[in-house]
Amino acid sequence: DYKQYGLDSYTVSIRAGLEDGSVYEIAAEASDGMSAVKAARETKADMAVLDIAMPVMDGLAASKIMLEEGLVY
């Protein structure tokens, strides 16, 4: 089973699509990129689903930090 993040403005539909009979589990949700990085540090999930346009820190910057820190692959 894989844990993943639902970290964007479309979490409800993404959650429904990923959890509907799949091996995925939503490990955390965040409303901005900085919170997404914090959630990644705390949960050590396997992947992140990020919206590019997020407040505080965009999804691209957040994903760069997550990759550099080895938080997701």
Side-chain angles (χ1 to χ4, degrees):
D1 289 352
Y2 292 96
K3 287 192 284 184
Q4 64 123 49
Y5 303 109
L7 302 170
D8 71 340
S9 59
Y10 307 103
T11 301
V12 173
S13 60
I14 289 173
R15 176 188 293 273
L18 291 174
E19 289 189 330
D20 186 25
S22 75
V23 297
Y24 297 103
E25 169 191 340
I26 304 294
E29 296 182 24
S31 58
D32 62 72
M34 188 69 76
S35 297
V37 172
K38 182 177 185 259
R41 289 177 179 143
E42 292 172 355
T43 63
K44 306 285 195 268
D46 300 301
M47 70 174 169
V49 177
L50 300 164
D51 193 341
I52 291 174
M54 298 178 79
V56 182
M57 175 189 298
D58 66 42
L60 296 175
S63 64
K64 182 178 179 193
I65 291 169
M66 290 178 193
L67 287 169
E68 288 173 349
E69 294 185 14
L71 301 172
V72 295
Y73 57 91

